[in-house]
Amino acid sequence: QRSAPSMFFGFSVTDSVGPGLSAEVLVHIEIDQPKHMYPNFVGNAGYAVFFDGIDDFISKDLVIEGGDEPLTDLTIMVWMKSTGAIVDAATLFSTMKSEYSVSTSPDVLEISWTSFGGLGLHAVKNENGTERQSLNSGLMLNDGVWHHLGFIIETSGNVILINDEMTINLGTFEVHTGFTFSSGYLVGKSSTNVGMGTDSYFNGLLDHLAIFKRALDEDYLRTISRLTLSPTTRGMISYLQFAYLDTFQSDPAYTVDYVDGLQALVFGSPSIITSALPITRPFTTVEDRPISIDLLGPEFAGKDHVSVFITVAPSKGMLFEDEDMGIRQVPYLLQNPGKRVSFVSGLNECGNENATPANLYTTFRYHTYDTEKQVRSEEQTVVLAVECVNYAPVLPELYVTVELDSYAGIELTLKGSDPDREPVVFLITTLPTLGTLFTTSGDPINQTQFQLAENVSKVLFVPVVDDALPLLAFDRSTYFGYTVMDKEGSLPTEGAAEAIVMLKVSEEVDMPLISGDPGFTLLFDGSSPVMVSESVPLLKGSVTAEAWVKTSA
């Protein structure tokens, strides 16, 4: 903790009659340290760092996985709040000067203000800062209000500035050679001398600085601006969120990069305040799959003086500390040393894909307690997003036998369902070997892959044809097959992909003795001839034979 800073202001008074002022009165203000101690951990938003504009800055070495080639497309996003005058060339962020010679070095990238151009992005080529390409926004943002800034640099050199909800196309760098991070970067200070050879510093508050080695989509950038990011967020190469107080009080002072876990050194004596950013902490999983959640950051590894209490349980799904200990009653004190919990959604449940963040499902809240300092953090909110999974439909009966009690048509119910509770469509995959299938509206089903209407599960089976004897006589049987499909076109993946329905006329059912004017017909199976048992008189002369014939193949 620092020695108490002090300041003063003066005032005079006059009345409505007299022309003069009273003597000046000086008011001296001294800012004492707080009577209570700050908790080490203050939750999702963490702390914010106040840079005095004189000598406060942060330096971070950076090793990018995949090599140190200059980045031609990248994104830098940060929350900032200026509470004092921003002087000419005040610098918010700067990459470090590369070890290459000036002639071959990629540009140094700076985010800074100028008197006439306001906030801008600058590609600086020489050490004194005079040879630069500047893309200015005209924004001063010196209003004492938190702003989220996002600089998107595309491969073409085009630069877009996202200031809260405002989008500004800053233009294009004429010569775009990329920017190197091989020597690290500075926060709150320039890495090149500006003007008369003096460094420039930032005066104000900074929080949640993130760097990506890709150009983010504008809508995506706005969405994640209010979230505590995962260290594994795609393309993110550095993330400072100032969540742990003790590191600022050590010697030397430092903060931790959440991506690589390495230290970022703190120079000068910046002040630390509880961040007022509207930050929530999201975790994303898929339905029915448990996710492990660390409620404390990597700065707390190996420290046992911080306790975690669950204060509000999730409204749905299940939060648990281990497989046998679901968290149902709150407040609940976590027992495991890692302060880790797990969460799983309700069976086949997922979040709202149109919410913010996407697939928002539920939340729970907690606070931490520092047993050494005996202070408690503010209550923190964890946002749980559950992505939907399209589960394959299910055939509950893979083989079923139906015994017919008459030669009339019979209505059959096909069985299948979708675990996602979505409408399904039944498909006839194998036609009956004997008899005919019809839809309930009377249309014949005469081809495979025939689709019934959505959520229609009934078909009509007729064991006779218009001009023939009941085909299922003489102990014959038939079968047909079907499957089920969901709205995404998915077919069953568990068990058989086709359900078989066997059909046979019961032995107790008698064939009709009279079949009408056409009489009966004979069905030949193609393997055995039909023999007439009685003798046939010898026929002389010409003989003519005629018959009605219908083939099945």
Side-chain angles (χ1 to χ4, degrees):
Q1 297 193 2
R2 308 170 62 187
S3 59
S6 62
M7 62 196 72
F8 68 89
F9 67 91
F11 70 92
S12 298
V13 298
T14 183
D15 57 30
S16 60
V17 178
L21 296 174
S22 70
E24 183 181 28
V25 178
L26 295 180
V27 178
H28 181 266
I29 299 175
E30 183 171 297
I31 303 177
D32 288 331
Q33 295 294 331
K35 300 302 180 183
H36 67 280
M37 299 188 71
Y38 285 109
N40 281 330
F41 179 72
V42 290
N44 301 329
Y47 291 99
V49 180
F50 179 77
F51 296 87
D52 60 11
I54 301 174
D55 62 354
D56 296 341
F57 68 97
I58 294 173
S59 176
K60 175 67 173 67
D61 291 332
L62 193 60
V63 177
I64 302 177
E65 185 177 352
D68 296 329
E69 291 296 321
L71 303 179
T72 55
D73 61 326
L74 68 147
T75 302
I76 301 173
M77 48 185 276
V78 65
W79 283 91
M80 59 78 59
K81 175 182 178 180
S82 176
T83 55
I86 296 178
V87 299
D88 187 28
T91 301
L92 193 68
F93 173 92
S94 177
T95 58
M96 298 283 281
K97 189 65 179 175
S98 172
E99 66 274 14
Y100 301 109
S101 65
V102 174
S103 60
T104 61
S105 170
D107 296 345
V108 170
L109 181 67
E110 287 190 352
I111 300 174
S112 60
W113 281 260
T114 61
S115 298
F116 301 103
L119 177 65
L121 197 65
H122 311 279
V124 185
K125 290 186 176 296
N126 59 347
E127 294 184 356
N128 61 20
T130 57
E131 186 182 352
R132 61 171 58 198
Q133 298 179 78
S134 295
L135 300 176
N136 297 308
S137 68
L139 299 176
M140 296 307 296
L141 304 181
N142 189 30
D143 52 10
V145 176
W146 278 108
H147 295 280
H148 185 265
L149 304 177
F151 288 88
I152 303 172
I153 305 176
E154 300 171 340
T155 304
S156 63
N158 187 59
V159 179
I160 299 171
L161 168 61
I162 308 296
N163 171 35
D164 302 327
E165 297 303 319
M166 180 190 305
T167 300
I168 303 175
N169 195 323
L170 296 183
T172 304
F173 285 125
E174 295 178 1
V175 180
H176 183 46
T177 58
F179 304 99
T180 179
F181 287 82
S182 60
S183 297
Y185 64 86
L186 302 177
V187 181
K189 176 184 178 295
S190 65
S191 64
T192 60
N193 293 327
V194 179
M196 299 302 293
T198 59
D199 290 323
S200 68
Y201 293 85
F202 171 71
N203 177 217
L205 289 160
L206 287 181
D207 200 2
H208 284 259
L209 169 72
I211 306 173
F212 296 81
K213 59 177 181 180
R214 64 188 182 100
L216 298 184
D217 175 78
E218 295 178 30
D219 291 337
Y220 176 69
L221 184 147
R222 287 192 176 93
T223 297
I224 66 174
S225 68
R226 295 177 180 270
L227 303 177
T228 298
L229 303 180
S230 165
T232 58
T233 301
R234 186 172 73 88
M236 190 165 68
I237 58 176
S238 188
Y239 184 38
L240 305 181
Q241 59 165 300
F242 315 124
Y244 190 52
L245 181 63
D246 278 6
T247 62
F248 284 90
Q249 299 174 329
S250 64
D251 187 18
Y254 66 93
T255 186
V256 175
D257 190 328
Y258 267 49
V259 175
D260 57 22
L262 301 178
Q263 295 181 4
L265 295 178
V266 178
F267 295 87
S269 53
S271 301
I272 306 299
I273 68 167
T274 301
S275 180
L277 297 184
I279 297 291
T280 55
R281 187 180 188 190
F283 288 90
T284 300
T285 184
V286 298
E287 60 182 81
D288 305 326
R289 181 182 300 173
I291 180 176
S292 180
I293 302 172
D294 292 320
L295 296 181
L296 296 179
E299 306 96 329
F300 290 87
K303 297 179 173 62
D304 57 3
H305 59 82
V306 178
S307 301
V308 173
F309 289 84
I310 305 298
T311 54
V312 177
S315 60
K316 51 186 176 178
M318 175 59 69
L319 190 69
F320 51 94
E321 187 169 9
D322 56 50
E323 295 181 356
D324 302 321
M325 191 178 297
I327 301 174
R328 295 179 175 86
Q329 295 183 340
V330 292
Y332 179 91
L333 174 64
L334 295 184
Q335 304 295 328
N336 69 87
K339 307 303 183 287
R340 181 181 295 109
V341 294
S342 296
F343 174 81
V344 65
S345 66
L347 182 63
N348 298 334
E349 292 181 350
C350 60
N352 180 1
E353 62 181 8
N354 296 319
T356 301
N359 303 306
L360 175 62
Y361 180 74
T362 189
T363 63
F364 70 89
R365 298 202 293 269
Y366 71 100
H367 66 68
T368 62
Y369 182 77
D370 190 324
T371 57
E372 291 182 353
K373 297 183 177 181
Q374 297 185 352
V375 289
R376 188 182 71 179
S377 73
E378 297 296 326
E379 191 176 50
Q380 306 303 317
T381 300
V382 174
V383 176
L384 294 160
V386 179
E387 297 176 350
C388 298
V389 173
N390 181 45
Y391 288 102
V394 176
L395 291 170
E397 295 180 343
L398 302 182
Y399 187 92
V400 63
T401 299
V402 178
E403 195 170 72
L404 307 179
D405 58 5
S406 75
Y407 287 100
I410 181 174
E411 191 175 76
L412 301 172
T413 299
L414 311 182
K415 296 182 179 181
S417 61
D418 183 15
D420 302 313
R421 303 183 181 90
E422 297 289 345
V424 295
V425 171
F426 288 95
L427 292 84
I428 303 302
T429 50
T430 302
L431 294 175
T433 52
L434 295 171
T436 307
L437 282 177
F438 296 86
T439 66
T440 53
S441 60
D443 298 323
I445 300 175
N446 50 21
Q447 62 183 15
T448 58
Q449 304 303 316
F450 183 94
Q451 292 188 19
L452 302 182
E454 187 177 280
N455 272 349
V456 172
S457 59
K458 296 184 182 297
V459 294
L460 180 66
F461 174 74
V462 179
V464 297
V465 293
D466 293 340
D467 59 351
L469 170 83
L471 296 177
L472 294 183
F474 312 114
D475 294 327
R476 299 292 297 274
S477 62
T478 185
Y479 70 90
F480 70 92
Y482 69 91
T483 191
V484 64
M485 180 174 68
D486 65 14
K487 69 173 186 177
E488 302 294 334
S490 298
L491 299 173
T493 56
E494 297 293 333
E498 182 184 39
I500 300 298
V501 179
M502 296 292 300
L503 299 128
K504 183 177 182 180
V505 176
S506 172
E507 295 180 357
E508 285 76 22
V509 177
D510 293 326
M511 278 180 25
L513 297 178
I514 300 174
S515 64
D517 294 335
F520 292 110
T521 187
L522 293 179
L523 174 67
F524 296 86
D525 61 9
S527 61
S528 302
V530 173
M531 305 299 294
V532 178
S533 60
E534 298 180 0
S535 61
V536 177
L538 181 63
L539 298 176
K540 295 181 179 180
S542 299
V543 176
T544 300
E546 65 176 25
W548 284 92
V549 178
K550 179 180 180 180
T551 63
S552 59

